[in-house]
Amino acid sequence: MTFPLPLSNNWRVFGLPIVSGAFTGNVVIFPGEFKKKTDTFQPRHVFILQDKQKRFNFVYWKYNIKEPSMLPIQAWDLCFDKNKINTYSNRYYLTLRGRNIIIPYIPDTLHKRWTKSTILNQPDLTYSNALFKHLIQPLFQQHANRNLKRSPFTGWKKTLNLQEHYLHTYKEILIQQKKNTKPIAIDISQPFDKLDNKKKEAIKDAFNIINTIFPKFITKIN
């Protein structure tokens, strides 16, 4: 069975979870090509996502944006071809790039309109959900903890540095804590080796925390 949408070169993002934006919690089940601002909508721009309820969402992905957007209804006639609907069902069971997947060609509402169907692919949805659990879901679990920094999208102008983002939250806490600091009874006017063992260990523990969170805090002694 020939799937009407063209295959893109972005298959490395198959199964990637969407972590921000309106489609948070969805996963990429069919990747298209990133759309540049000067591009008109074409079939190659269609991405298909699937949410936790196994519902399919048709989206497109702007070249310099970190999350996808809903494919506008006005673009449906540019991206989908009624003449390519040659089956009663809107579900295709395919093997693409070594992966078995079940995907629709067009949104179910559009398929219902074009085929004048009185049902909304409910039998297909039941079959799809059963097969999804055994074939596709395990692949998504392999990608659940994928670091976006290690696998940036080629369409992004800047990669998402999650580590720097998290580090920023520690810096904010440090600034807040600095305003409310309560002095600890440690006399730093005397040499470190003159302190008692309890105070030495307290200072070492504090330095260990600083070096863990801010490894470049002190790099040399002037």
Side-chain angles (χ1 to χ4, degrees), residues 108-119:
D108 283 336
T109 53
L110 180 59
H111 184 269
K112 180 180 179 181
R113 185 197 312 161
W114 278 358
T115 60
K116 295 181 173 55
S117 174
T118 58
I119 61 173

Side-chain angles (χ1 to χ4, degrees), residues 8-182:
S8 76
N9 293 322
N10 288 328
W11 276 86
R12 62 191 179 84
V13 301
F14 171 84
L16 189 72
I18 308 300
V19 298
S20 62
F23 294 99
T24 298
N26 281 246
V27 291
V28 178
I29 193 172
F30 185 85
E33 293 184 13
F34 296 101
K35 182 181 180 297
K36 296 182 180 180
K37 187 175 182 179
T38 56
D39 292 341
T40 57
F41 278 106
Q42 298 180 37
R44 62 189 176 91
H45 294 130
V46 176
F47 282 74
I48 302 176
L49 311 181
Q50 195 164 37
D51 63 19
K52 294 179 180 179
Q53 285 72 44
K54 311 299 183 292
R55 293 172 300 199
F56 297 100
N57 292 304
F58 288 75
V59 303
Y60 73 103
W61 210 313
K62 294 180 181 179
Y63 182 79
N64 59 345
I65 302 298
K66 293 177 181 177
E67 59 271 335
S69 302
M70 179 69 75
L71 187 69
I73 294 178
Q74 296 86 344
W76 284 7
D77 287 336
L78 299 174
C79 296
F80 309 118
D81 186 351
K82 184 177 181 180
N83 294 324
K84 291 184 178 181
I85 298 179
N86 51 21
T87 62
Y88 174 76
S89 171
N90 188 33
R91 296 293 181 270
Y92 291 73
Y93 175 44
L94 308 170
T95 299
L96 300 174
R97 302 293 171 87
R99 298 178 173 92
N100 296 317
I101 60 176
I102 299 173
I103 50 178
Y105 164 47
I106 56 179
D108 283 336
T109 53
L110 180 59
H111 184 269
K112 180 180 179 181
R113 185 197 312 161
W114 278 358
T115 60
K116 295 181 173 55
S117 174
T118 58
I119 61 173
L120 196 61
N121 284 282
Q122 289 302 323
D124 298 313
L125 287 172
T126 301
Y127 174 71
S128 300
N129 291 345
L131 227 55
F132 175 91
K133 181 176 181 181
H134 295 288
L135 295 179
I136 303 174
Q137 200 165 37
L139 290 175
F140 291 164
Q141 292 172 354
Q142 296 175 12
H143 295 278
N145 298 318
R146 189 191 300 183
N147 189 313
L148 293 183
K149 181 182 177 183
R150 292 197 302 268
S151 182
F153 296 116
T154 56
W156 290 359
K157 289 184 177 179
K158 296 181 180 179
T159 58
L160 178 61
N161 191 331
L162 292 180
Q163 182 178 359
E164 178 61 29
H165 171 72
Y166 298 147
L167 183 59
H168 185 74
T169 62
Y170 285 93
K171 293 178 181 178
E172 290 178 343
I173 295 297
L174 179 63
I175 296 300
Q176 294 173 10
Q177 190 64 26
K178 188 175 182 179
K179 299 177 182 177
N180 303 310
T181 296
K182 297 179 180 179

